[in-house]
């Protein structure tokens, strides 16, 4: 969210693995630029999968190469990291580097180094083009993409075979498959997670499949466009009202709950990303994947973009920290380090060279289909400074648009008005 990839659950914090992870004492502002402070999101969902293991290893290796430099890492759950970094910035105590879901607000405040101030021309050009575009404000790259993902429709092949359903190519195909699955007693024929955890992702997937999206050709918000209104009216009338989305109202179904139900064999179809596919196949499930089915109203030959997601490294300006940050980011973005992190969470590395190295090493062959989708993907409008607040508004409210008693147009217009107010107030 924020454009989230692999969110930590509340249980992680309860287990006490978050908070400060200190590999050295001090701060960049107090010892001549020799200690770097990194605040990062926690990607794991248990002590065994915590990102602490990765950062412990990486910072130790960095210090071994640069014995005069030190690194202090603090991890926060995805639900908290954006807010915590914003608090630090407001208190004039920003870290040197942050890994989180939004960057453009800080870029608009003039607080971030641009990529050209930190990276070589070759290193800056190494980022995958769709990610570099999303990380840029104007023509200047501020958000350094770290790991990424695209979304595909997953379907349970055994449930499909039992129901006699066919993999859908259009919305009407999806509806037909969902009806067949329901007839066979499948609890969630199509899992529709429009709960507040990551509703903006599911919504974008559907919007794109009907030629819509969050922004128009000028880059302005188009949340209540005719295409988007048509999309949510179709979902409501054809999936929600006929009870083809399961026992939990879409506005209350979070992504992780939908994924858990899929892994229990209770879901016929759900939009997912590489880590879910990896876990499902590890459990012996037979899972098919395909691009999101498209609206029947699109003309033949129209191929809407896939929804893509990335998380961002950003470097805050402090006196005397530029060279320290430069050396750290050079190390972080070495192919082997980026590949190790991406592989740990079954995500996609953000650079051309790391992607090629992963393929050459035969790492997770199933990731290739997601990489192909990512090349033509559309990401959230993260380069709009208001996106962090607007995305939170979407997450809290978009599920209301498909409630049986709702008027989708009225709900979308209300969200659009809130987005306009947020943008105007900036």
């Amino acid at each position: 969210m924020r454009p989230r990839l692999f969110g930590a659950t509340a249980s992680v914090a309860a287990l006490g693995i978050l908070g400060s992870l200190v590999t050295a004492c001090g701060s960049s502002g107090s010892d001549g630029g020799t200690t770097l402070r990194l605040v990062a999101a926690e990607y794991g969902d248990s002590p065994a999968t915590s990102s602490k293991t990765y950062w412990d290893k990486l910072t130790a290796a960095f210090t071994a190469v640069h014995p005069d430099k030190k690194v202090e890492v603090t991890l926060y759950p995805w639900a908290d990291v954006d807010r915590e970094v914003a608090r630090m910035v407001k208190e004039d105590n920003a870290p040197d580097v942050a890994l989180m879901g939004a960057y453009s607000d800080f870029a608009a405040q003039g607080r971030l180094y641009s990529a050209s101030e930190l990276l070589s021309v070759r290193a800056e050009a190494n980022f995958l083009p769709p990610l570099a575009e999303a990380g840029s404000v104007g023509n200047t790259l501020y958000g350094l993409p770290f790991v990424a993902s695209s979304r595909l429709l997953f379907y349970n092949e055994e449930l499909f075979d039992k129901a006699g359903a066919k993999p859908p190519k259009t919305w009407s195909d999806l509806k037909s498959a969902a009806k067949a699955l329901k007839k066979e007693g499948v609890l969630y024929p199509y899992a529709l997670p429009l709960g507040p955890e990551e509703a903006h992702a599911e919504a974008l997937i559907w919007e794109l499949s009907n030629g819509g999206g969050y922004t128009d050709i000028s880059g302005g918000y188009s949340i209540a466009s005719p295409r988007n209104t048509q999309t949510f009216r179709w979902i409501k009338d054809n999936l929600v009202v006929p009870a083809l989305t399961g026992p939990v109202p879409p506005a209350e179904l979070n992504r992780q709950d939908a994924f858990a139900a899929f892994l229990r064999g209770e879901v016929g179809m759900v939009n997912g990303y590489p880590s879910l596919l990896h876990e499902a196949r590890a459990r012996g499930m037979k899972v098919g994947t395909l691009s999101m089915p498209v609206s029947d109203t699109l003309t033949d030959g129209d191929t809407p973009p896939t929804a893509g997601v990335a998380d961002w490294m950003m470097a805050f300006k402090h006196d005397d920290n530029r060279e320290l940050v430069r050396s750290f980011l050079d190390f972080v973005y070495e192919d082997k380090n980026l590949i190790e992190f991406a592989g740990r969470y079954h995500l996609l590395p953000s650079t051309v060279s790391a992607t090629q190295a992963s393929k050459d090493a035969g790492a997770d062959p199933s990731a290739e289909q997601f990489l192909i989708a990512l090349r033509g993907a559309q990401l959230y409008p993260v380069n709009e400074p208001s996106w962090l607040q607007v995305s939170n508004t979407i997450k809290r409210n978009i599920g209301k648009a498909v409630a049986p008693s709702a008027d989708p147009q009225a709900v979308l217009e209300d969200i659009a008005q809130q987005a306009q107010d947020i943008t105007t107030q900036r």
Side-chain angles (χ1 to χ4, degrees):
M1 75 255 16
R2 35 135 337 268
R4 183 149 66 107
L5 292 176
F6 195 98
T9 62
S11 62
V12 179
L15 289 166
I17 63 174
L18 300 180
S20 292
L21 157 61
V22 181
T23 58
C25 298
S27 68
S28 59
S30 63
D31 58 4
T34 62
T35 297
L36 181 140
R37 294 170 53 223
L38 168 67
V39 172
E42 168 61 79
Y43 282 70
D45 60 0
S46 71
T49 62
S50 172
S51 302
K52 180 180 185 300
T53 302
Y54 173 83
W55 292 114
D56 273 346
K57 179 180 177 181
L58 182 133
T59 54
F62 174 77
T63 302
V65 176
H66 303 278
D68 59 329
K69 296 178 173 64
K70 305 171 184 178
V71 182
E72 175 186 298
V73 183
T74 303
L75 300 178
Y76 289 103
W78 271 117
D80 301 332
V81 65
D82 287 354
R83 182 179 66 251
E84 287 298 319
V85 173
R87 175 186 59 78
M88 294 175 192
V89 171
K90 186 175 181 180
E91 295 173 354
D92 200 25
N93 187 35
D96 296 288
V97 178
L99 170 58
M100 49 190 283
Y103 70 88
S104 56
D105 190 4
F106 306 126
Q109 297 175 36
R111 294 181 178 271
L112 300 182
Y113 288 111
S114 66
S116 61
E117 294 177 284
L118 299 170
L119 306 177
S120 67
V121 173
R122 182 176 181 179
E124 185 174 354
N126 194 28
F127 292 115
L128 294 168
L131 306 183
E133 181 179 352
S136 298
V137 177
N139 295 317
T140 303
L141 181 64
Y142 290 101
L144 309 183
F146 186 60
V147 285
S149 180
S150 57
R151 303 297 169 92
L152 296 174
L153 183 71
F154 293 10
Y155 62 96
N156 185 314
E157 292 182 345
E158 292 184 358
L159 295 181
F160 263 62
D161 289 344
K162 184 178 179 181
K166 297 180 179 180
K169 295 182 179 180
T170 65
W171 286 2
S172 58
D173 293 342
L174 187 150
K175 179 181 178 180
S176 296
K179 290 172 67 175
L181 291 162
K182 182 182 179 182
K183 187 175 180 180
E184 285 297 321
V186 176
L187 194 60
Y188 295 87
Y190 177 87
L192 183 66
L194 291 176
E197 181 187 6
E198 205 190 32
H200 61 319
E202 181 72 13
L204 179 60
I205 291 167
W206 278 94
E207 291 168 358
L208 292 175
S209 70
N210 191 32
Y214 287 132
T215 57
D216 57 26
I217 194 169
S218 70
Y221 289 118
S222 57
I223 295 168
S225 69
R227 286 252 179 214
N228 290 349
T229 300
Q230 181 187 54
T231 295
F232 286 93
R233 182 169 288 118
W234 189 94
I235 295 171
K236 170 193 166 182
D237 293 343
N238 292 275
L239 296 180
V240 179
V241 172
L244 299 178
T245 55
V248 179
E252 299 175 18
L253 182 65
N254 281 320
R255 182 204 60 187
Q256 289 292 356
D257 295 328
F259 283 8
F262 183 78
L263 294 172
R264 293 194 300 267
E266 298 173 352
V267 174
M269 296 172 280
V270 68
N271 282 302
Y273 49 68
S275 59
L276 177 63
L277 181 61
H278 177 85
E279 187 169 357
R281 289 180 173 171
R283 296 187 181 202
M285 295 179 65
K286 295 181 179 180
V287 179
T289 59
L290 45 81
S291 298
M292 178 65 187
V294 299
S295 165
D296 297 84
T297 64
L298 293 185
T299 58
D300 292 341
D302 283 348
T303 304
T306 304
V309 182
D311 292 336
W312 310 96
M313 281 277 189
M314 63 213 71
F316 288 88
K317 295 179 179 179
H318 293 293
D319 292 341
D320 301 325
N321 78 333
R322 181 174 169 182
E323 290 306 315
L324 175 64
V325 169
R326 184 201 303 273
S327 61
F328 181 70
L329 291 179
D330 280 345
F331 194 78
V332 167
Y333 280 97
E334 288 183 11
D335 287 350
K336 63 180 180 180
N337 294 327
L338 194 57
I339 290 169
E340 182 176 345
F341 189 93
R344 181 178 179 85
Y345 298 107
H346 307 289
L347 298 169
L348 305 175
S350 60
T351 65
V352 174
S353 59
T355 297
Q356 185 59 52
S358 294
K359 292 168 64 177
D360 292 343
D364 196 3
S366 67
E368 177 67 17
Q369 60 193 310
F370 294 95
L371 178 62
I372 292 172
L374 183 64
R375 289 174 184 148
Q378 182 169 318
L379 281 74
Y380 304 126
V382 289
N383 45 14
E384 166 54 55
S386 64
W387 172 246
L388 181 59
Q389 290 177 270
V390 171
S391 65
N392 285 330
T393 300
I394 294 170
K395 286 188 287 186
R396 292 195 309 270
N397 295 288
I398 199 74
K400 300 173 185 177
V402 299
S405 61
D407 175 1
Q409 182 175 350
V411 174
L412 294 182
E413 288 178 346
D414 181 62
I415 296 172
Q417 183 60 55
Q418 292 184 61
Q420 181 178 338
D421 293 344
I422 291 168
T423 305
T424 302
Q425 292 167 8
R426 294 194 55 78

